[in-house]
Structure formats: structure tokens, C-alpha cells
Amino acid sequence: ALAPPSSQAAPTRSRRQALATLAASESPPMRRVLSSAPAAEMIGAAVAEKAAVRALSARAVSTAAAVATEEGGGISMKTKVPGPVGLRLMEQHGPQGASGGAISLFCDYRASDGCYLVDADGNRMLDMFSQIASLPLGYNHPSLLAAQADPLLATYSTSRCAIGLMPPMELPELLDETFLKIAPAGLSRVQTMLCGSSANENVFKAAMFAYRAKQRAKAGRGPTDFTRDELESCMVNQSPGCANDLSILSFRGGFHGRTMAALTCTHSKPVHKLDAPAFDWPTADFPALQYPLEHHAAENAAEEARCVDGARAIFEARLAEGRPVVGLIIEPILSEGGDLHASPSFFASLQRLCGEFDAAFIVDEVQTGVMASGHMWAHQAWGLPEAPDFVVFSKKALLGGYYFKEAFQPPQGYRIFNTWMGDMTKLLLFRAVLEAAEREGLQARAVSTGAALMRTLEAARERHPRAVRNLRGAGTIIAFDCETPEMRDELAAALRNNGVLVGTNGSQSIRFRPALIFGDEHVDEFEGVFAATLRQLAL
């Protein structure tokens, strides 16, 4: 049994009342955490001291996690997915709007834990996609459940604040303890947002504000010395007040969001863009590498050089036309487009191009950031001579936002702004994520577990070359192609019915984005299901 620190007294009546309130939660994982007397003692003391997460000892959290794992078990399938309950819920939800129409299954999040998602029919599946690459610690992680006991979380939830106008007094400290603690070298400023799309939208604006400020400086004006023509023309969406002559360069296969400017820079699937207006912004080719990489070094180098030359030609042509490219946005791995990779030298060449043409170098780490690649930020593997101008995050960071250099600080208030400007509750939870990651060595685990998963897939590739080809990855960001789109769809559906959730992307790719807690035992479980599924489909 674990004992609370000797400096802490037994829970007082008020502490016991607080514990009773928490224990009344309908969440079975929360009840399991609280059922341990040591965890209860630690949480009780923490509630009284308004520091629940900090007061929970690593031993207490580990004990609770072990209990949850023992009680949860592994894959357990009862029906096809979706089953009858899920289908009834879809029918019920359809007239309500169907949440956009892309729902694949309804879930029981109270019963889910660790790397296992339970659906409405009670099917317990190994989730190797973690929603949309967005759960850093899986489902109902004890550290995040314990964080619910922090009174600040209740305060921020009850009185959600407009961070950009009246932030809470704890904001500077929380930023130091979260995003600035893990900031890429050379980037000391951060702006939280709501999601990846809103982050990219505001990055584009910040890049254009900075470019316009430089233009005004050349004319002997300050960054906010606007002419009457600018002030009047912007109100009817015209130049010179609106920067209609400026653009952001993006790449074929890239995905940066579904809001208007972000959608202009998205080129992964037609369904995202059909019937929506777009800005007249340029698109460059992204290298189409051949695999295995070690067998095609010369061809791939030539392909990357072609794409760099193409990007340069766009910069030159736009500048000559008087409508310069003022920013370039790129993902370290073009995820929605099919997990497309390129070499560090390719990305370094793009950064040099941006420097040559005075454009912002924007790295979109929405899907690759927060340790999944084996680095805190995937671009750190490139060995760039200096930091990007912007690094965008979301998903495993729990909220959207971006890092930026001082040169891109907005010149006045309300230029980068919305009602919420982030979410303070997610800052508290992300602090717990980082503490758990450090305590459990999750960044190193992404490297070792990713290597184990690659070995499993390499072995499958040898036995099933039609089903597994073009294997590629970094850390646990892994993907392979099937011979045809139809084969990919059949394999993904069969894996789901056999208890494994994977993602699909590109035209015929299957991708993996497990939570950071994904371990070798999960790889072993996947290996058995994967082999059986390939035999079942005779692939």
C-alpha cells in the first residue's frame, strides 16, 4: 500500500466530501482511479490544497493505471462495426444533422481506456489511429482523470474566459509550464487558438501583416500608418487595403484545414474543396518518392530537385507579376495526402528559398507534433540552421496554436483575435500530458514502439507484397500502400471488424497514429490480428 507524504494529514471532512463528489462520476475509469486508497488520499489532499495534479504521486498514478489495465483487458468483439446499437444511433442522429455526415461509429467513452476504444455495441477495439491522431494519452488516462480534481479546471470550465482580452492571472505561468517548455529552439513566442485550421488562418494573416509592414517601412511609414485609401478600400474587400496581391505557397497532397484560406492551401482530396471558393494562391509539386528509399537514392534526389526548382519558379513568376508569395506552408509528413515523405535537405532547400524571397517559412505540425515522430516536433529531425518562422500545432497538443518569431508579432491589438483564443482547461490538461510523458518516457517509447511496429509490417510485406508496399514512417507515424484503393478499403474494414482501428489516407494508404502510451504489448496484439486478417482476405 502507498502512504501519502508524512507532511499531509488525513483527509478532512471537506476533503472527503470532495472525494465523494468525484467518486459519484459515472465514468468507470474515474471510479477505478478513486477506488485505490492511496490515490484517494493523494487526490483528497490535493483538492484541499488546490493542486491536484501536482500532489498526485507518480506511484499512485501508476498503481491506478495498472488496475485499469488489468480490469480492461484487450480486444473483445461482439458484433460487426457498426453493430445494431450503432446503426440505430446513426438513424436517430441523421435528422439532427448527422454531425456533418461522416460518422463511422458511435462510442462509449466511459468504458474506453488506454489504447482501447469501446463502441456503442460493446466492441472493444485496439485504436491505432487515436481518433484523428489527436489523443496523446489514449482514453481515460489516470493522469488526466486526476487533473479533473484541480479546482482551477472547474473554475475555467464554469467561467470560460476570453483569453485575448481578459486572461486569467495563471496564464503566463501555465504557458511557461506547457508550450514554452517544449518550444522549438529559436521560437520563444506562442499563440493559442481553437484548432489547427484557425491557427493556420491566423499564421497567414501574421505573415501578411509583417510583409505589409516592411513595404510601409520602405515608404517611410510605420507598420500601422494606414492611408485613407487603405482604410476605405479594405471595407469593400479591395486593394490596397486588402492584401489581395499577396499569397501563400502550398504543396500538392498537403492538408492545412477546411476554413477558407486553409482550404485554399489544402490539396489532399477533392471532397474537401468542391463548391467552395478559393484564393488565387499557387500550388507546387511535392516529391513523389520511390520505396524502399535506399534502393532509389538517385531517383529521389532528382525528384526533390525538380520540386525545389518548381517552387523557385513560382516565387520568381509571382514576384515578376507584382503579387509576391509571402509565405510557404509545408507539413513534415503530408498526412492526409498519403503520408508523403521527403528528405531533410528538401525542407532545408525550401527554407533557403523563403529567405531568398523574404517569405515566411511555415511548418504545419498539427499531425506530426508532440513526440509522435520520436522528436517533440518532427521538423527537429531536419537539422535546420535556424528555426522556422512559424510552427503550427493542434491534435495531440489538445488545442490549436502556433509558435512564431518576434518579427511576426502583430503590430496592434485585435489583428489576431477571436472570442476564446484557446481554452484554459486544455492548458491544464496539456500540463498533465507533459508531466505524464516525462514520467513514463513516452518520447523514447514512440521511437522503440515505432521500430517494433515497423518490424511487424516489414515481415508482413515479405509475406503479403500486394497488401503491404511502400512502407514508410517516423516514430509511430507509419503508413503503407495497398495494391489498389479497393484492397485498402477492404483491409481497413476487415481490421475494424476484427478489433483494430486504423486510418486511411491518400488513394490507397493505411496509416497508423497510435497514442503515445502505445507499447510493445499492443504491437504484439496487432500483429496477431493483422496476420489473421490478411489470411482471412487471402491477400
Side-chain angles (χ1 to χ4, degrees), residues 123 125 146 171 231 242 254 261 272 322 349 409 428 513 523:
N123 296 303
M125 295 165 278
L171 177 61
L231 293 170
C242 289
H272 301 140
S349 296
Q409 181 71 38
L428 287 174
R513 298 292 192 275
V523 175

Side-chain angles (χ1 to χ4, degrees), residues 230-264:
E230 288 172 331
L231 293 170
E232 293 178 353
S233 61
C234 76
M235 299 306 292
V236 290
N237 303 329
Q238 300 299 312
S239 298
C242 289
N244 297 336
D245 56 329
L246 306 185
S247 62
I248 303 293
L249 173 63
S250 52
F251 289 81
R252 288 185 173 84
F255 181 93
H256 303 287
R258 292 177 173 86
T259 50
M260 297 305 293
L263 187 60
T264 294

Side-chain angles (χ1 to χ4, degrees), residues 240-411:
C242 289
N244 297 336
D245 56 329
L246 306 185
S247 62
I248 303 293
L249 173 63
S250 52
F251 289 81
R252 288 185 173 84
F255 181 93
H256 303 287
R258 292 177 173 86
T259 50
M260 297 305 293
L263 187 60
T264 294
C265 293
T266 288
H267 315 284
S268 53
K269 295 177 182 177
V271 68
H272 301 140
K273 298 175 69 73
L274 286 167
D275 298 331
F279 296 111
D280 181 18
W281 291 357
T283 307
D285 287 345
F286 188 84
L289 300 188
Q290 300 179 51
Y291 294 89
L293 296 176
E294 60 271 19
H295 294 169
H296 301 281
E299 298 95 323
N300 290 338
E303 170 69 357
E304 290 187 344
R306 180 188 71 82
C307 293
V308 171
D309 290 343
R312 171 180 289 279
I314 290 172
F315 272 108
E316 293 174 341
R318 287 270 172 157
L319 186 62
E321 295 166 359
R323 46 185 192 144
V325 172
V326 301
L328 177 155
I329 188 166
I330 192 78
E331 300 166 85
I333 298 170
L334 273 60
S335 299
E336 295 293 330
D339 269 34
L340 310 178
H341 290 246
S343 70
S345 63
F346 172 75
F347 294 104
S349 296
L350 296 183
Q351 186 181 44
R352 286 193 295 273
L353 270 181
C354 288
E356 184 178 340
F357 288 91
D358 198 21
F361 184 48
I362 306 163
V363 178
D364 184 343
E365 291 252 24
V366 166
Q367 192 153 149
T368 57
V370 191
M371 294 175 272
S373 70
H375 295 269
M376 182 61 70
W377 306 103
H379 78 269
Q380 291 170 329
W382 301 342
L384 298 175
E386 64 174 294
D389 296 304
F390 295 91
V391 173
V392 184
F393 56 81
S394 191
K395 293 191 181 288
K396 285 185 172 66
L398 300 185
L399 78 170
Y402 57 91
Y403 297 101
F404 62 102
K405 290 181 177 176
E406 183 179 357
F408 295 94
Q409 181 71 38

Side-chain angles (χ1 to χ4, degrees), residues 194-217:
L194 298 173
C195 63
S197 295
S198 63
N200 279 326
E201 291 281 341
N202 284 283
V203 162
F204 298 159
K205 289 167 59 179
M208 292 182 178
F209 295 163
Y211 195 89
R212 278 290 195 240
K214 292 176 185 177
Q215 290 180 323
R216 292 190 181 96

Side-chain angles (χ1 to χ4, degrees), residues 17-33:
Q17 289 174 336
L19 279 172
T21 300
L22 287 172
S25 164
E26 294 183 4
S27 165
M30 175 63 103
R31 289 200 295 271
R32 288 199 293 269
V33 172

